[in-house]
Amino acid sequence: MSAVRPTHWPMSQFPVIDDCLHIGGMPLMQLAARVGQTPFYAYDRRLLDERVALLRNRLPSAIQLHYAVKANPMSAVTQHLANLVDGLDVASLGELSVALDTGMAPAEISFAGPGKRPPELTAAIAAGITINLESAGELETVARLGHGLGRQPRVAVRVNPDFELKASGMKMSGGPKPFGVDAEQVPVLLRRIGQLDLDFRGFHIFSGSQNLRAEALIDAHDRTFELALRLAVDAPAPVRMLNIGGGFGIPYFPGDTPLELEPVAANLDHWLPTVKEQLPEAHVVLELGRYLVGEAGIYVVEVVDRKVSRGHTFLVTNGGLHHHLAASGNFGQVVRKNYPVVVGNRVMGNEREIVSVVGPLCTPLDILADRMELAKADVGDLIVVFQSGAYGLTASPARFLSHPACVEVLV
Ligand SMILES: *Cc1c(COP(=O)(O)O)cnc(C)c1O
């Protein structure tokens, strides 16, 4: 019996007309001409609209949606999403400035992340956004800076839960962590908040990222609500915000299948009456990054050279891991897996071949596709990496080897 090789989930979000990928209603070659250079990232606003609409449609209407800006902080993308979601979550002063520029109400912006420095905290207090406290030390600093500014800081407690999100791409909780205050230390911290001049908003409990399994998210949500209800007993003021994190994944690799939203939504629906009864002033917030933007973006590079080395064909392109670290395999993952990739201007092609798509960097890790079947491509053809709207350009070592900068467009 021959094992069936897993394939990529079909990338049907961008139309293919006359064998050419279209984005923003334009054939890819035309878009490249209008951008003025390769490589580039392109994000599709129609897909952003559709993704938010899908979530609004499936999730209970009482759930508020926040965008985690670090997934893609391009200002046009953040602005577009700010008009569609209920709030923005930032992780630095730079992201805070992008978020405030959108006109989003400061009360709907929150700031999480360990190691926030005094200028960042001061800016957050002056802006009137919510600071998700990551430690007892940060709490004291925030209270002191608020006093100095004559403004009462808005704060929430980021909790490091006593459980983990199972089967998550990246575990962010459980065990010792730099993120959040250990659940068992939260009651003491809440009492301290009550002694200081602070506007307590609620809790932020984020347990992981890139999860494709509904059961794992349901399990995390169950434990998150149980933990929040337990911690709320010691809260110095009514809980007005309960941020249950995100973690919704998207299919990247062969064998990955999309997350099923229905069971996750049904479980949230099941919890909401209990939350309403026990925390009547609380808004439940889901903060999503990757799930909102990841599938709406492509990375586009141009073939600069074709070469055959000992029987293996390489398409050498002008882009690579310096723009798209994740697609290259994050500086060497244990088993490197390919993102979905096509030749954008000849998707099926007349001839097909097995090739590797590489970048110009002098490291064997600079790979965008390893031994993939693609349409036979020539110098000047455009290679497209799908699922590139999140954690792309700003999550890559852009300065590595000092090649020209990549550009981004929202179409
Ligand atoms: C990164 C991050 C997110 C977004 O995670 P995604 O997997 O992109 O949805 C949400 N909340 C916090 C606190 C984060 O650090």
Side-chain angles (χ1 to χ4, degrees):
M1 245 179 47
S2 69
V4 180
R5 290 185 69 216
T7 54
H8 284 107
W9 188 261
M11 294 293 120
S12 55
Q13 66 270 53
F14 300 98
V16 175
I17 303 168
D18 294 337
D19 211 26
C20 183
L21 198 76
H22 280 53
I23 173 161
M26 215 184 266
L28 186 66
M29 282 297 196
Q30 186 186 339
L31 178 62
R34 105 97 156 107
V35 172
Q37 73 158 73
T38 57
F40 63 91
Y41 277 90
Y43 314 114
D44 186 333
R45 30 162 77 79
R46 172 185 62 88
L47 294 173
L48 299 177
D49 294 345
E50 285 177 10
R51 182 47 58 102
V52 174
L54 173 77
L55 288 162
R56 297 284 194 202
N57 191 11
R58 299 283 167 84
L59 298 174
S61 56
I63 298 284
Q64 298 201 336
L65 281 182
H66 281 203
Y67 173 50
V69 174
K70 78 170 183 291
N72 187 331
M74 186 204 184
S75 54
V77 167
T78 308
Q79 177 72 64
H80 190 79
L81 283 168
N83 298 336
L84 302 173
V85 298
D86 305 302
L88 298 171
D89 294 320
V90 302
S92 70
L93 186 52
E95 288 184 8
L96 174 57
S97 144
V98 171
L100 289 169
D101 282 349
T102 66
M104 176 64 75
E108 312 305 332
I109 300 175
S110 62
F111 185 179
K116 298 184 208 73
R117 287 160 296 113
E120 294 178 297
L121 293 169
T122 300
I125 298 163
I129 65 156
T130 300
I131 298 168
N132 292 338
L133 297 168
E134 304 270 349
S135 74
E138 191 170 270
L139 165 62
E140 299 298 329
T141 306
V142 166
R144 182 168 45 75
L145 294 172
H147 185 73
L149 275 174
R151 278 189 70 103
Q152 190 184 48
R154 284 202 166 102
V155 298
V157 176
R158 174 152 180 202
V159 182
N160 174 24
D162 38 17
F163 58 87
E164 288 196 342
L165 176 53
K166 287 178 200 144
S168 183
M170 205 184 305
K171 291 199 177 61
M172 303 282 289
S173 61
K177 289 279 147 47
F179 312 107
V181 178
D182 294 348
E184 55 278 20
Q185 290 178 18
V186 169
V188 172
L189 195 86
L190 290 170
R191 276 194 283 283
R192 183 68 184 139
I193 290 174
Q195 293 164 355
L196 296 167
D197 188 19
L198 296 168
D199 178 11
F200 173 77
R201 310 298 299 179
F203 298 108
H204 175 215
I205 307 179
F206 175 75
S207 45
S209 189
Q210 180 47 20
N211 207 304
L212 290 171
R213 288 183 44 227
E215 322 85 83
L217 285 167
I218 288 170
D219 181 61
H221 288 166
D222 287 347
R223 291 156 177 260
T224 297
F225 284 119
E226 282 160 14
L227 177 59
L229 294 176
R230 222 176 336 124
L231 295 174
V233 172
D234 292 298
V239 172
R240 278 160 293 170
M241 188 215 43
L242 176 52
N243 182 332
I244 62 171
F248 292 21
I250 61 172
Y252 285 106
F253 304 121
D256 283 356
T257 53
L259 171 69
E260 278 185 76
L261 283 179
E262 290 82 356
V264 176
N267 189 54
L268 291 172
D269 215 23
H270 157 81
W271 272 101
L272 285 173
T274 312
V275 174
K276 183 89 200 146
E277 186 192 303
Q278 300 196 27
L279 308 174
E281 295 183 39
H283 293 292
V284 177
V285 172
L286 261 181
E287 55 170 354
L288 300 172
R290 188 190 315 270
Y291 193 78
L292 291 177
V293 293
E295 300 189 83
I298 55 174
Y299 174 53
V300 182
V301 301
E302 186 171 334
V303 178
V304 172
D305 194 13
R306 249 188 91 90
K307 62 177 280 188
V308 180
S309 167
R310 302 198 169 121
H312 187 96
T313 303
F314 289 91
L315 299 176
V316 186
T317 72
N318 58 358
L321 78 72
H322 54 313
H323 301 155
H324 202 335
L325 181 65
S328 79
N330 283 312
F331 277 129
Q333 60 202 19
V334 181
V335 182
R336 190 194 168 282
K337 292 187 259 182
N338 288 327
Y339 270 46
V341 168
V342 293
V343 182
N345 55 306
R346 51 179 101 233
V347 175
M348 291 313 294
N350 298 325
E351 276 179 80
R352 315 250 331 148
E353 62 179 353
I354 306 276
V355 292
S356 290
V357 179
V358 300
L361 308 190
C362 43
T363 159
L365 300 174
D366 192 15
I367 302 172
L368 291 173
D370 184 25
R371 284 160 292 172
M372 253 184 121
E373 192 202 282
L374 298 179
K376 189 168 183 213
D378 280 321
V379 171
D381 282 344
L382 300 182
I383 306 285
V384 169
V385 182
F386 292 108
Q387 307 300 74
S388 298
Y391 305 109
L393 190 55
T394 60
S396 300
R399 308 272 297 272
F400 188 38
L401 266 94
S402 307
H403 279 285
C406 187
V407 297
E408 300 176 286
V409 288
L410 176 66
V411 294

